[in-house]
Amino acid sequence: MNPFPIVMSAPSGAGKTTVTRELLARRTDLGYSVSCTTRSPRPGEVDGVDYHFLTPSDFLARVEQQQMAEHANVHGRMYGTLKSAVQTVLDSGKHVMMDIDVQGARQFAHAYPHAVLVFLLPPSVEVLVARLIGRNTEDRSTLLTRLRSAHAELQDVDRYHYVVVNDHLEATIARVGAIIDAEMVRRDRVSVLDQQVLGLVQRLEQEISQYSA
Ligand code: 5GP
């Protein structure tokens, strides 16, 4: 297998975390790259599992030491992907799933051109707002910031290879899973394929000359 990065982006509230978590739980060929952030943990979030929660100075030190594959300011906080987190998963032979915003995805795709970029759309603005309010973690101004970010993020959908509308959780999980399966057999990812095709061509040539003799 030839593991590759899968970047999932979506406006907050589109259901990306749930889809990513479910795929990770259901598939043994996927690993997760835990991001760094300077935001505070939400109730139930665990340092090193959901994020590496860093102070702004710790975060900047890692940027300066070029440890980050990408980083961005999202909703007024810093978020970033450690190169080592990506590499560890790839080295284990698994595809690495990442949950990163559109600015980060752009940087990441530049550094890792073989990455697959998937954008998850909410089925409607009403659903998006309801999901954000339902989280109970958003005050009014945070909600407004996230809605503005969602508005901006939608302008970047064209940069993604795949766009999936998250109208039904199971269907979305199946669609993203199908994307991963299809990408695994994309010709330019299958390094042994050239050899295999060459072998078949040579054998066919032998058969053809035998039958035409
Ligand atoms: P949240 O604070 O709700 O967990 O995430 C807010 C936003 O930050 C989401 O859009 C999420 O995709 C983005 N995000 C999470 N991790 C990273 C990362 O490592 N890099 C970048 N650029 N964005 C991230």
Side-chain angles (χ1 to χ4, degrees):
M1 193 168 87
N2 203 358
F4 49 84
I6 302 148
V7 172
M8 296 274 290
S9 298
S12 291
K16 181 182 40 173
T17 312
T18 312
V19 171
T20 306
R21 197 184 297 134
E22 283 300 316
L23 280 163
L24 285 161
R26 295 179 194 193
R27 294 183 63 129
T28 55
D29 60 348
L30 301 179
Y32 187 63
S33 156
V34 178
S35 294
C36 300
T37 183
T38 62
R39 82 153 163 77
S40 314
R42 295 191 185 119
E45 284 185 333
V46 177
D47 187 30
V49 175
D50 298 286
Y51 282 103
H52 300 291
F53 294 100
L54 303 181
T55 62
S57 62
D58 272 353
F59 191 99
L60 286 175
R62 285 168 188 260
V63 172
E64 272 159 27
Q65 290 159 12
Q66 306 197 333
Q67 292 183 25
M68 299 285 188
E70 61 74 32
H71 63 95
N73 185 321
V74 188
H75 315 135
R77 304 286 180 183
M78 296 304 296
Y79 290 81
T81 305
L82 289 170
K83 290 177 189 168
S84 59
V86 175
Q87 205 49 52
T88 304
V89 178
L90 292 176
D91 287 349
S92 75
K94 296 184 178 193
H95 309 300
V96 56
M97 289 211 72
M98 272 163 300
D99 168 346
I100 61 186
D101 87 310
V102 293
Q103 312 162 69
R106 197 181 313 159
Q107 292 170 41
F108 190 86
H110 193 67
Y112 296 76
H114 61 306
V116 182
L117 309 187
V118 182
F119 197 97
L120 216 58
L121 284 178
S124 68
V125 170
E126 286 70 22
V127 169
L128 187 76
V129 171
R131 284 186 189 152
L132 286 174
I133 290 173
R135 274 185 193 174
N136 273 333
T137 55
E138 320 288 337
D139 58 34
R140 204 178 166 81
S141 80
T142 309
L143 180 67
L144 190 61
T145 310
R146 288 181 187 255
L147 293 179
R148 289 203 172 110
S149 297
H151 183 268
E153 280 168 348
L154 286 178
Q155 316 300 315
D156 260 42
V157 170
D158 286 358
R159 295 178 188 277
Y160 286 74
H161 302 122
Y162 298 93
V163 181
V164 178
V165 178
N166 186 17
D167 44 4
H168 181 269
L169 181 62
E170 283 303 322
T172 304
I173 292 166
R175 281 188 202 119
V176 178
I179 291 168
I180 297 168
D181 290 340
E183 285 289 332
M184 278 162 62
V185 289
R186 226 176 73 180
R187 191 182 48 75
D188 53 357
R189 291 194 193 282
V190 188
S191 49
V192 292
L193 209 61
D194 287 347
Q195 279 301 36
Q196 212 165 327
V197 172
L198 191 66
L200 285 172
V201 168
Q202 284 169 346
R203 275 290 298 123
L204 273 174
E205 283 167 1
Q206 286 169 5
E207 290 293 323
I208 289 166
S209 69
Q210 201 176 326
Y211 277 101
S212 51

